[in-house]
Amino acid sequence: MKAVVVEEFGGPEVLQVHEVERPIPGPDEALIRIKCCGVCHLDLILRSGMRSRVKPPRILGHELAAVVVEVGKNVRDFLPGDRVTSFNFQACGQCADCLRGRPSLCRQTLGDIGQTRDGGYAEYAVLLASNLVRMPDGMAFEHACFAACVYGPPYKAIRSVGKIQPGQTVVITGASGGLGMAAIQITNKLGARSIAITSNARKVDHLKALGAHEVVISADGAFGDEVRQLTNGRGADLVVELIGSPTFYGSLRSLAPGGRIAVVGELYGTPVEINLGLLIIKEFELHGVQSANREELQEVLQFMHKNSIEPTIWKTLALEQAAEAHRELANREVVGRVLLVP
Ligand SMILES: [Zn+2]
Ligand SMILES: [Zn+2]
């Protein structure tokens, strides 16, 4: 089969198509034929060698959608022909956290797709069947492939953490990134009001077109007062915090009494200070949000399909153009996702 194999770390030029053996599924695994695979910012980091878990040779790609070709003898949930997408990582399925339905907390992961296990920059892949989720009938592969990585965390932030109802207000930091745009779409479909925070003035029109009710341009993270003005002094019910420490104080300042912050991203790992008295008086809630689990991913897929939520696809390229795909994504003017199709 054809696959883009990272044989050594480096720039986009290390992404070359090779002819490799088609993998054979073990008893608990499935062989899948990749229909498409999103190119994630994480892939750029992995390719450069900054994440130690990847050991070349490795096939990148965790944002995949595929058709099941063959299943191992223990696999009961899937049949050849099933249309599937996957989680990004493989929890053990047996530890206390896995058993209580919190696989994102598993410490004994069997691997992350496209990191410690080969992923979707290829014609075929072998994954654990427990990592696959069936796509809704009629949903496009090029939409489903983004459910886990792009829509999963904001969905969890807005629905599970925020419990957002029509008419409530959601602030989204890092709104012009992939997760930010997904958060705007989800908020909009729930009938809630979104206030998108971005540092990039050139992306305002696109954010509005996606359904953002207000767009605040802020390069310094001090958008809290503006959010208060936009909400008649009350503040927002939820902040989807996608940037982390650089915007955290603005997020805190944006909150209405009883408001929640769902921290989905942290770009720098810089500690922040919180006045706990404020937390008590205002009954603020602070939540960390990891990737969606199986049930949540199923829900995300249904929600996207039912509400016709479609990711913005910037470009679709062939496997042979993987290097170009990485160059495109490194370019900050890209709006939306870059997709590889074998
Ligand atoms: Zn991703
Ligand atoms: Zn586990």
Side-chain angles (χ1 to χ4, degrees), residues 164-170 186-194 211 213:
I164 287 302
Q165 301 294 322
Q168 288 191 304
T169 302
V170 180
I186 295 164
T187 303
N188 202 21
K189 293 293 180 187
L190 289 171
R193 179 177 181 220
S194 56
H213 294 83

Side-chain angles (χ1 to χ4, degrees), residues 116-271:
T116 55
R117 186 177 185 115
D118 283 336
Y121 287 20
E123 289 182 297
Y124 295 88
V126 160
L127 299 181
L128 281 173
S130 57
N131 262 102
L132 300 177
V133 172
R134 203 172 276 110
M135 290 165 45
D137 289 340
M139 188 173 192
F141 291 106
E142 52 271 26
H143 300 158
C145 69
F146 297 113
C149 191
V150 182
Y151 286 85
Y155 182 87
K156 224 170 135 168
I158 294 163
R159 303 233 50 193
S160 312
V161 172
K163 300 182 172 63
I164 287 302
Q165 301 294 322
Q168 288 191 304
T169 302
V170 180
V171 166
I172 298 152
T173 65
S176 51
L179 275 70
M181 294 194 289
I184 291 170
Q185 290 175 304
I186 295 164
T187 303
N188 202 21
K189 293 293 180 187
L190 289 171
R193 179 177 181 220
S194 56
I195 302 179
I197 314 293
T198 180
S199 58
N200 191 338
R202 286 188 297 275
K203 295 192 175 171
V204 171
D205 290 345
H206 187 72
L207 298 180
K208 289 246 162 104
L210 276 176
H213 294 83
E214 311 282 351
V215 180
V216 175
I217 300 162
S218 167
D220 61 359
F223 49 85
D225 289 333
E226 200 159 336
V227 169
R228 282 167 173 257
Q229 277 171 19
L230 290 169
T231 53
N232 297 323
R234 183 176 175 270
D237 300 289
L238 173 72
V239 178
V240 180
E241 179 54 91
L242 296 170
I243 301 291
S245 47
T247 44
F248 186 78
Y249 295 113
S251 297
L252 205 55
R253 177 93 187 127
S254 299
L255 281 188
R260 298 174 176 143
I261 300 183
V263 182
V264 180
E266 164 55 359
L267 296 189
Y268 301 111
T270 312

Side-chain angles (χ1 to χ4, degrees), residues 79-126:
L79 289 170
D82 283 349
R83 295 157 15 101
V84 294
T85 182
S86 69
F87 301 74
N88 303 342
F89 80 107
Q90 300 176 320
C92 78
Q94 281 152 21
C95 71
D97 288 317
C98 282
L99 292 176
R100 70 186 172 110
R102 305 286 300 270
S104 52
L105 302 179
C106 179
R107 303 237 165 198
Q108 298 151 51
T109 50
L110 306 176
D112 295 87
I113 297 167
Q115 293 190 52
T116 55
R117 186 177 185 115
D118 283 336
Y121 287 20
E123 289 182 297
Y124 295 88
V126 160

